[in-house]
C-alpha cells in the first residue's frame, strides 16, 4: 500500500474546516449582487486594519497591484531609483519597471534571506554617484519573516527615502510586538491562494497611516477617479478586489490567528527534527514569522530534492535565479560588489511542505526522508 500523496500546501483541509460558512458567504454575494465594491469589501478593509493596527487599508486586485499602486500614487518615474532585494519574487522589481523607474538590486543576508542593511546603504550611495535619484526602498519579508526594519528604516530616513514593505508573504507576522502593516510609509500584501492569508483567486491590500496617501490610492485604484466616477484627475488602473474574494477573506480571517499558531508549531517541529542535518531558518530578535515557506539550505540540494521526489514528498525552489540575473531584469543595476549571497542562496535553497494542517505523522515522514537523504 502506498501512502497518501503529501500536498505542498493543503487548501482542501482548510476548506473542509470552514465548511458551510464559506459557502454561505459566497452565496450571499451571488444573491445580493453588489459584485464590485460591495459591503464585504468595506468590512474586510475595516477588519484588516483592526487586525494589524494600520490606520487605513485599501483592498485591491492582487499583491503586485498593491505594490504598483503605491509607486503610482507617489509619482515614482524615470530617473528615480528604488532599492529592492535581488532574492525575491519578481513582482517586487516588476512594479518599479512598470513606472519607468530603475530597480537597484540589493543583496540579502544569508541567515534570514532578507535585505542586507549595509549593502542597502552602499547601494544608495552608489546610485546617487551614478546620477540616479534614490527615492524609495522596498524590503521584502521573505518566507514570512519581517525584514530588519529597525536597521533599514534609519538608513532610509537618513537618505530621505520612503519605505514600502513587501509583505506579500508575511501578513500576520510581528516585529517587536508591532504587526506587519505598520512599518514605513506603506505596506503591500497579497491574498493569492498560497499565501498565509489567501482567497479563492487573486487579491491584495495596501496598509498606510498616511491620510493623504490613502486618498490618492483610492483614486488610482479606480482609474484615477476624482469626486465623480467619470471625472479622471490622474492616470490610474482598474485595481479593485472582487466582493466575492472579500467575503472569502472575511471567513478565513476568523481562523487566521489559529492558523498562525499552527504554522509556528509546525515550523518549530521541523527545526527540532532537521537541525542535525541542515541550517534551520533563523528569526531575528523580536520577530515572529507566518512561515509562508519553510526553507533550508543544502550543499547538495539536488540529492535531497531527488530523494524527496522518490518518497512522494513535494519540494520547491524559491527562488532559483536572483532577479538581477533574470533575462527581463539583467539590464538593471545591482549595488556595489553585486549580489553574491543571493547567487549562493539561489543554488542551495529548498522549501518543504508547509501549511497549518500538516499532521505530525506526515511531518515525521518528511523529516525522516530529508534526514536520511542528508546522511547518505
Ligand atoms: C506573491 C508575491 C507578490 C505578488 O503578489 P500577487 O498577489 O501574486 O500579485 C509580491 N511579492 C512577493 C514577495 C510575493 O511573494
Amino acid at each position: 500500500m502506498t501512502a497518501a500523496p503529501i500536498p505542498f500546501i493543503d487548501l482542501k483541509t482548510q476548506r473542509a474546516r470552514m465548511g458551510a460558512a464559506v459557502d454561505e458567504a459566497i452565496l450571499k454575494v451571488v444573491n445580493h449582487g453588489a459584485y464590485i465594491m460591495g459591503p464585504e469589501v468595506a468590512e474586510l478593509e475595516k477588519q484588516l486594519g483592526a487586525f494589524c493596527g494600520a490606520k487605513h487599508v485599501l483592498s485591491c486586485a492582487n499583491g503586485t497591484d498593491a505594490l504598483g499602486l503605491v509607486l503610482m500614487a507617489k509619482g515614482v518615474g524615470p530617473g528615480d531609483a528604488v532599492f529592492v532585494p535581488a532574492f525575491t519574487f519578481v513582482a517586487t522589481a516588476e512594479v518599479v519597471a512598470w513606472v519607468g523607474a530603475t530597480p537597484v538590486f540589493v543583496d540579502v543576508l544569508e541567515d534570514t534571506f532578507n535585505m542586507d542593511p549595509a549593502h542597502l546603504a552602499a547601494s544608495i550611495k552608489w546610485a546617487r554617484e551614478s546620477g540616479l535619484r534614490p527615492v524609495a526602498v522596498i524590503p521584502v519579508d521573505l518566507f514570512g519573516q519581517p525584514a530588519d526594519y529597525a536597521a533599514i528604516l534609519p538608513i532610509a530616513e537618513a537618505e530621505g527615502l520612503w519605505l514600502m514593505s513587501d509583505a506579500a508573504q508575511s501578513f500576520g507576522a510581528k516585529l517587536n510586538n508591532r504587526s506587519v502593516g505598520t512599518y514605513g510609509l506603506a505596506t503591500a500584501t497579497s491574498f493569492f491562494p498560497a499565501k498565509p492569508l489567501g482567497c479563492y483567486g487573486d487579491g491584495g491590500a495596501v496598509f498606510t497611516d498616511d491620510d493623504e496617501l490613502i486618498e490618492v490610492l483610492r483614486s488610482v485604484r479606480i482609474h484615477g477617479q476624482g469626486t465623480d466616477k467619470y471625472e479622471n484627475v490622474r492616470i490610474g488602473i482598474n485595481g479593485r478586489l472582487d466582493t466575492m474574494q472579500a467575503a472569502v477573506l472575511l471567513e478565513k480571517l476568523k481562523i487566521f490567528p489559529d492558523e498562525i499558531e499552527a504554522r509556528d508549531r509546525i515550523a518549530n517541529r521541523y527545526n527540532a527534527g532537521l537541525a542535525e542535518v541542515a541550517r534551520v531558518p533563523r528569526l531575528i530578535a523580536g520577530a515572529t514569522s507566518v512561515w509562508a515557506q519553510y526553507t533550508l539550505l543544502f550543499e547538495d540540494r539536488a540529492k535531497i530534492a531527488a530523494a524527496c521526489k522518490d518518497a512522494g514528498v513535494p519540494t520547491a525552489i524559491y527562488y532559483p535565479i536572483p532577479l538581477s540575473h533574470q533575462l527581463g531584469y539583467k539590464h538593471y543595476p545591482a549595488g556595489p560588489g553585486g549580489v553574491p549571497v543571493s547567487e549562493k542562496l539561489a543554488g542551495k535553497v529548498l522549501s518543504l511542505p508547509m501549511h497549518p494542517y500538516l499532521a505530525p505523522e506526515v511531518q515525521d515522514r518528511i523529516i525522516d526522508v530529508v534526514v536520511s537523504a542528508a546522511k547518505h
Side-chain angles (χ1 to χ4, degrees):
M1 206 184 87
T2 52
I6 298 174
F8 190 72
I9 289 176
D10 182 0
L11 293 173
K12 285 190 181 149
T13 303
Q14 183 201 52
R15 192 259 171 281
R17 170 184 179 176
M18 292 189 300
V22 74
D23 301 14
E24 281 159 21
I26 292 169
L27 201 58
K28 193 172 160 206
V29 176
V30 173
N31 290 328
H32 74 44
Y35 306 130
I36 301 295
M37 299 303 276
E40 286 81 359
V41 172
E43 180 59 26
L44 176 69
E45 290 177 346
K46 200 175 109 201
Q47 290 196 22
L48 289 172
F51 185 91
C52 72
K55 186 172 176 193
H56 304 294
V57 182
L58 182 99
S59 62
C60 62
N62 56 69
T64 309
D65 279 3
L67 293 161
L69 281 163
V70 174
L71 296 182
M72 290 178 78
K74 292 295 287 178
V76 175
D80 292 340
V82 178
F83 300 83
V84 300
F87 192 66
T88 176
F89 181 62
V90 66
T92 319
E94 183 178 34
V95 293
V96 179
W98 274 4
V99 297
T102 303
V104 177
F105 295 109
V106 176
D107 211 358
V108 297
L109 296 168
E110 187 175 329
D111 56 350
T112 63
F113 309 112
N114 280 334
M115 184 180 269
D116 177 350
H119 196 237
L120 170 65
S123 301
I124 296 170
K125 185 165 176 282
W126 171 85
R128 226 184 272 292
E129 286 165 4
S130 307
L132 289 164
R133 194 167 49 243
V135 296
V137 52
I138 315 180
V140 176
D141 302 343
L142 205 70
F143 305 146
Q145 167 173 217
D148 190 353
Y149 293 105
I152 293 172
L153 272 164
I155 295 170
E157 270 160 29
E159 295 283 351
L161 275 62
W162 52 270
L163 182 148
M164 164 161 60
S165 138
D166 180 343
Q169 303 185 6
S170 66
F171 187 67
K174 290 184 178 172
L175 185 59
N176 298 324
N177 288 316
R178 258 178 64 190
S179 294
V180 160
T182 61
Y183 288 92
L185 174 69
T187 298
T189 198
S190 164
F191 305 124
F192 182 80
K195 309 286 181 180
L197 179 62
C199 54
Y200 287 160
D202 279 306
V206 181
F207 304 87
T208 184
D209 283 2
D210 191 297
D211 299 338
E212 273 170 48
L213 180 62
I214 190 69
E215 287 312 315
V216 182
L217 285 167
R218 285 194 182 113
S219 166
V220 179
R221 174 176 63 179
I222 308 184
H223 304 292
Q225 74 178 18
T227 47
D228 175 83
K229 194 171 169 185
Y230 297 110
E231 182 199 9
N232 308 100
V233 298
R234 58 174 63 78
I235 308 293
I237 65 170
N238 173 0
R240 295 170 298 235
L241 178 73
D242 289 347
T243 308
M244 203 120 36
Q245 300 303 343
V248 170
L249 285 164
L250 282 166
E251 289 308 310
K252 290 212 189 186
L253 202 52
K254 292 178 187 165
I255 58 171
F256 191 44
D258 180 57
E259 291 186 334
I260 292 172
E261 268 185 49
R263 285 176 177 278
D264 204 46
R265 187 175 67 240
I266 289 160
N268 285 324
R269 238 173 144 266
Y270 266 143
N271 287 347
L274 295 168
E276 148 194 30
V277 296
R279 204 208 63 212
V280 299
R282 187 177 82 81
L283 299 185
I284 58 173
T288 68
S289 176
V290 288
W291 303 103
Q293 302 296 342
Y294 184 85
T295 305
L296 297 166
L297 298 188
F298 291 105
E299 286 307 314
D300 190 353
R301 172 175 69 193
K303 181 181 80 173
I304 310 286
C308 287
K309 188 160 188 263
D310 287 347
V313 172
T315 61
I317 296 173
Y318 302 112
Y319 295 89
I321 306 173
L323 291 188
S324 47
H325 295 39
Q326 293 277 9
L327 192 55
Y329 291 84
K330 62 186 189 189
H331 58 292
Y332 290 116
V339 293
V341 177
S342 301
E343 287 163 10
K344 181 177 169 189
L345 291 174
K348 295 190 193 311
V349 284
L350 190 69
S351 301
L352 300 179
M354 182 71 213
H355 58 81
Y357 305 98
L358 190 57
E361 58 278 13
V362 178
Q363 191 177 16
D364 287 343
R365 244 179 82 198
I366 298 167
I367 292 169
D368 285 349
V369 171
V370 174
V371 169
S372 78
K375 283 184 172 168
H376 289 97

